[in-house]
Amino acid sequence: MTPGTVIKEKIIAAYEAMAESYNALIDHKAHNAYYDRPNTLALIPEPEGKLILDAACGPGKYAEILMSSGATVTGFDISSRMVELAKERNKGKGDFFVHDLSQPFTKLADASFHIVVCALALHYVQDWTLTIKEFCRVLKPGGVLVISIEHPFFEFNYFRSKKYFEVEPVKCIWSGFGKPVEMNSYRRPLQQCIAPLTGNGFYVDQIIEPRPVEEFKKHDPKHFKELNAFPAFMCIRAIKRT
Ligand SMILES: C[S@@+](CC[C@H](N)C(=O)[O-])C[C@H]1O[C@@H](n2cnc3c(N)ncnc32)[C@H](O)[C@@H]1O
């Protein structure tokens, strides 16, 4: 097995182990509900009547919100348990299947979506090139890609990196979703968050360095203060060039 395969297997194992508690907590988990989602959703155009791909959908919380606003959602995730939970949460609405972001999206036709959303997942992919090309292929001309990622400056500090310009494997322990799990991912410089978009069919329309919404404070005052001083995530809207 290559080092990349070993890391991917560890990521899958971590999410399979965490899936139930992730699903149970996701509605009100502060970093998701009151930091990532409000800022990422703010970049998504009016969902009503739109065909939306939720790439790395997890337990289908974004899909639930988007379908409640009148969108038709297709979602995939590398964790089969997450996909089951997405189906359960959405009670037969939407189409969910197991798929890896770093493999061609063979089930999905060219120009079949108005919007692609990929929240908090691209840091599990070492090389974004194929993934971004696939996002571009499945979007209609002028279609919108909205992603949220860990902020590159936050990660550089958090992982005490000494190699800013490299894409490097990193790991830490996650304790916020029940039993602690080792979480592996890839840290990258800012340029490697933007160049794969602009080099593979998109222009960058908007970037948000998010602030937590007020509700966050009630759930987690310490991180509310920290996130108002320095961002942990970054949300990007990119448009498919015509
Ligand atoms: C932090 S969760 C985010 C889930 C969802 N997007 C949300 O914001 O609620 C990250 C998700 O990415 C999935 N994931 C990790 N690596 C993946 C890959 N290579 N392909 C597809 N999904 C992946 C995990 O299984 C997990 O469900």
Side-chain angles (χ1 to χ4, degrees), residues 4-240:
T5 314
V6 173
I7 289 173
K8 189 178 291 185
E9 292 300 323
K10 287 182 176 175
I11 293 167
I12 296 170
Y15 275 106
E16 289 288 275
M18 231 176 14
E20 309 294 335
S21 54
Y22 193 98
N23 182 49
L25 294 171
I26 194 73
D27 290 345
H28 299 290
K29 186 90 171 66
H31 276 79
N32 299 84
Y34 310 120
Y35 188 53
D36 171 57
R37 285 203 300 273
N39 287 286
T40 302
L41 287 166
L43 292 178
I44 297 180
E46 170 58 50
E48 182 157 17
K50 301 288 188 341
L51 300 167
I52 302 184
L53 173 63
D54 184 359
C57 60
K61 183 64 194 177
Y62 270 93
E64 181 185 16
I65 294 168
L66 294 168
M67 286 195 283
S68 75
S69 300
T72 300
V73 176
T74 299
F76 70 75
D77 197 279
I78 203 166
S79 154
S80 54
R81 187 61 192 129
M82 285 292 198
V83 170
E84 282 170 24
L85 291 164
K87 287 179 183 172
E88 282 169 27
R89 174 182 286 274
N90 289 292
K91 302 179 182 67
K93 280 177 74 191
D95 179 18
F96 299 97
F97 60 94
V98 176
H99 187 70
D100 178 352
L101 274 171
S102 62
Q103 297 297 319
F105 303 172
T106 45
K107 280 194 178 177
L108 305 177
D110 295 359
S112 49
F113 294 98
H114 299 99
I115 299 166
V116 173
V117 57
C118 184
L120 300 178
L122 278 169
H123 43 277
Y124 300 118
V125 176
Q126 184 169 20
D127 182 346
W128 287 11
T129 311
L130 178 142
T131 311
I132 302 298
K133 280 186 175 159
E134 285 295 84
F135 288 160
C136 190
R137 180 183 68 75
V138 302
L139 276 170
K140 296 175 187 294
V144 178
L145 169 65
V146 176
I147 65 173
S148 60
I149 55 175
E150 297 196 346
H151 197 296
F153 302 164
F154 174 85
E155 287 194 311
F156 182 72
N157 288 338
Y158 184 80
F159 291 111
R160 300 174 191 278
S161 176
K162 298 279 180 283
K163 304 181 274 192
Y164 177 75
F165 290 106
E166 289 186 21
V167 175
E168 57 179 340
V170 289
K171 59 184 170 190
C172 61
I173 301 295
W174 275 24
S175 312
F177 290 100
K179 202 171 147 226
V181 290
E182 181 188 278
M183 186 54 80
N184 287 258
S185 61
Y186 295 93
R187 186 210 65 75
R188 71 193 59 237
L190 176 60
Q191 184 174 315
Q192 287 301 322
C193 304
I194 302 299
L197 297 168
T198 55
N200 292 293
F202 291 95
Y203 68 84
V204 172
D205 176 53
Q206 200 176 333
I207 292 180
I208 295 181
E209 292 182 303
R211 301 287 188 104
V213 299
E214 201 56 30
E215 182 74 12
F216 192 118
K217 198 175 184 175
K218 281 192 223 154
H219 296 259
D220 186 346
K222 174 179 169 279
H223 283 112
F224 181 79
K225 195 170 171 211
E226 282 181 21
L227 291 170
N228 271 300
F230 198 87
F233 295 167
M234 186 163 79
C235 311
I236 303 174
R237 179 165 66 200
I239 312 291
K240 178 172 174 168

